[in-house]
Amino acid sequence: MKNNIGTLCVQAGYTPKKGESRQMPIVQSTTFKYETSAQMGKLFDLEDEGYFYTRLQNPTNDKVAAKIAALEGGVAAMLTSSGQAANFYAIFNICEAGDHVVAAQSIYGGTFNLLGTTLKKLGIEVTFIDQNDSEANIEAAFKPNTKAMFGETISNPGVQVLDIEKFARIAHKHEVPLIVDNTFATPVNCRPFEFGADIVTHSTTKYMDGHGATVGGAIVDSGNFDWEKYGSKFHGLTEPDESYHGLVYTKKFGKLAYITKATSQLMRDLGSIQAPQNAFYLNLGLQTLHLRMPRHCENARKIAQFLHDDPRVAWINYPDLADDSQHALQQKYLPNGTCGVMAFGLKGGREFSIRFMDNLKLISIVTHVADCHSCVLHPASHTHRQMTDEQLIEAGVAPDLIRLSVGIEDAEDLINDIKQAIEAAEAGK
């Protein structure tokens, strides 16, 4: 029986048997006992299923990963210590020195740096493209050594909607998978696999946790990309892994090959695990995700309309607004709403924006986004401050851009807070 998203949020991943705890148990143990050396040996050779060390797998983590895979409609998932780790593993699982990635330039600043700076140090080059450009211009960025294409369903902080079908079409034409960071939309508002994406990542720190309590990430595989079709292009999956006695992931694990390799090879060697305690907290957040997302969107629409109509606001990006440049894409991919995040600029420029934020009472200035509390950030002064003005513009971040993440408080109170903060800024406070 196929269950709807709300039921999956509450019950997927863990079904207790007679006498077992109704709440998912926390298995807070580094190791797991076996009766013979041969039993342990089979686990290390990937010849048997089971647990032997939490750096690779843990029962609590696996149950939460299974829930996220069910929510996205994927075949398997893996939890990581953060969203940054998820994006790194998702790409590094199929890329190595000498390879190339095509990525949207309007992405989170940390991911922009990961792709453009850190991966470059590992010998992996990236070409950033305008996601709204023509297919022909985007295709021109591909090279013979391109191994993946990357974008965000809703970009952070520019709030641009990715044309997933266009990106998937381009990626598959060039024989590479499309990786989509679905953090802001969550599977409640968009399931990228249904539009052709192959791999989805999340910073579970955001809406999935929902409370600002735990840092984490996740990678989900659709199981749809045919790695073997392209032979040695993805040789890490289709050719023998000498660290496992010549095992070939696609031959041994089929549609589970990608996540199995990420778990048994990358997590084994790099160890960016999510703590079982954090996975437990994440699961509590997931249980109400389908209830919270509509409230985030409802509140955000009201506040976006207020900002849209206020003459003191220079501009606003929120795809749910009927006259937003991204509205057609929002209607196609996120008809129930994008998320609670919007970007806007105030007349008066950068210094006026800072005074405005300093006068907010309910809405907090924090280096976070997408949880139940409303919060605000000025990327040029905070998360993206290491970038030059030219790099800011390249990444789609205007110097006056304010990122507002609308929580689940009362919308009227939040609007009143914004009003008084603008008035205080106008008074020079």
Side-chain angles (χ1 to χ4, degrees):
M1 182 175 66
K2 184 177 180 181
N3 292 315
N4 293 316
I5 198 85
T7 302
L8 294 175
C9 282
V10 177
Q11 296 208 19
Y14 173 62
T15 303
K17 298 176 183 177
K18 180 181 178 181
E20 293 182 338
S21 62
R22 187 63 195 88
Q23 286 297 326
M24 183 183 298
I26 306 170
V27 182
Q28 195 67 45
S29 179
T30 59
T31 52
F32 303 83
K33 179 182 179 295
Y34 288 87
E35 296 175 348
T36 69
S37 177
Q39 291 174 341
M40 184 68 76
K42 287 184 178 181
L43 294 173
F44 274 97
D45 286 342
L46 305 183
E47 292 293 336
D48 201 359
E49 294 183 3
Y51 300 95
F52 52 95
Y53 196 56
T54 284
R55 188 176 78 237
L56 281 90
Q57 286 181 288
N58 176 280
T60 305
N61 290 24
D62 282 1
K63 290 177 176 62
V64 179
K67 173 174 284 190
I68 294 173
L71 290 172
E72 285 288 6
V75 296
M78 179 182 79
L79 299 187
T80 61
S81 57
S82 68
Q84 281 291 89
N87 282 333
F88 173 62
Y89 278 30
I91 293 170
F92 199 56
N93 200 34
I94 51 176
C95 292
E96 59 186 37
D99 287 341
H100 175 254
V101 175
V102 175
Q105 64 189 17
S106 299
I107 55 176
Y108 168 57
T111 309
F112 189 94
N113 286 333
L114 167 66
L115 297 176
T117 302
T118 302
L119 286 184
K120 187 175 182 179
K121 294 177 181 178
L122 298 175
I124 301 170
E125 298 288 338
V126 63
T127 299
F128 292 105
I129 51 90
D130 179 352
Q131 67 188 49
N132 298 313
D133 209 342
S134 67
E135 292 195 29
N137 287 345
I138 293 174
E139 284 192 49
F142 281 76
K143 302 178 180 181
N145 60 334
T146 302
K147 294 294 180 66
M149 193 176 192
F150 180 88
E152 295 174 349
T153 307
I154 306 169
S155 67
N156 177 14
V159 201
Q160 299 286 301
V161 178
L162 185 71
D163 191 339
I164 302 172
E165 286 188 340
K166 180 177 81 170
F167 262 50
R169 187 164 55 246
I170 295 170
H172 297 159
K173 181 177 179 179
H174 292 271
E175 303 178 346
V176 302
L178 172 60
I179 303 172
V180 174
D181 185 327
N182 199 35
T183 295
F184 274 7
T186 81
V188 171
N189 284 346
C190 182
R191 303 205 328 165
F193 294 154
E194 295 176 358
F195 300 101
D198 301 291
I199 297 157
V200 159
T201 62
H202 284 277
S203 171
T204 62
T205 315
K206 309 304 190 297
Y207 286 122
M208 282 189 166
D209 170 78
H211 307 97
T214 61
V215 176
I219 307 170
V220 189
D221 182 20
S222 67
N224 294 331
F225 193 81
D226 190 347
W227 307 103
E228 288 202 327
K229 182 177 179 180
Y230 306 110
S232 61
K233 190 166 189 172
F234 300 101
H235 63 87
L237 286 160
T238 62
E239 295 179 6
D241 180 354
E242 296 307 322
S243 69
Y244 279 110
H245 310 295
L247 177 147
V248 177
Y249 291 99
T250 52
K251 299 294 186 186
K252 178 74 174 177
F253 300 103
K255 288 183 176 294
L256 302 179
Y258 177 87
I259 290 295
T260 301
K261 178 178 180 291
T263 302
S264 60
Q265 189 186 87
L266 298 189
M267 195 63 81
R268 175 196 65 189
D269 296 342
L270 300 174
S272 300
I273 62 168
Q274 187 168 144
Q277 185 85 36
N278 282 3
F280 175 82
Y281 292 141
L282 168 58
N283 185 60
L284 294 180
L286 288 169
Q287 289 175 349
T288 59
L289 182 63
H290 63 299
L291 302 176
R292 289 183 284 108
M293 289 307 295
R295 177 60 179 242
H296 282 291
C297 293
E298 177 189 356
N299 279 356
R301 288 190 198 100
K302 293 178 181 178
I303 292 170
Q305 193 64 55
F306 162 75
L307 292 171
H308 177 274
D309 297 340
D310 194 302
R312 297 166 295 186
V313 177
W315 58 272
I316 179 169
N317 289 346
Y318 189 62
D320 296 51
L321 293 172
D323 61 353
D324 190 275
S325 64
Q326 301 285 296
H327 187 63
L329 289 174
Q330 179 264 322
Q331 289 290 291
K332 177 179 180 178
Y333 294 112
L334 304 114
N336 295 324
T338 49
C339 61
V341 182
M342 64 190 69
F344 68 97
L346 293 171
K347 293 176 181 178
R350 188 167 181 162
E351 293 306 315
F352 185 82
S353 297
I354 291 172
R355 290 206 306 274
F356 158 74
M357 291 191 298
D358 288 349
N359 279 287
L360 290 166
K361 307 298 183 185
L362 287 177
I363 303 171
S364 302
I365 301 173
V366 298
T367 311
H368 197 235
V369 66
D371 70 31
C372 62
H373 307 87
S374 291
C375 55
V376 70
L377 193 76
H378 184 237
S381 300
H382 305 141
T383 55
H384 293 59
R385 66 180 298 122
Q386 75 280 8
M387 299 170 69
T388 65
D389 284 349
E390 291 76 15
Q391 288 175 321
L392 284 170
I393 293 170
E394 183 183 358
V397 181
D400 65 342
L401 186 152
I402 296 171
R403 184 186 70 186
L404 173 61
S405 177
V406 179
I408 57 174
E409 304 95 339
D410 190 286
E412 182 180 359
D413 293 335
L414 296 174
I415 290 172
N416 288 335
D417 191 29
I418 293 170
K419 285 181 181 177
Q420 68 81 26
I422 294 177
E423 291 166 1
E426 287 179 320
K429 295 182 182 179

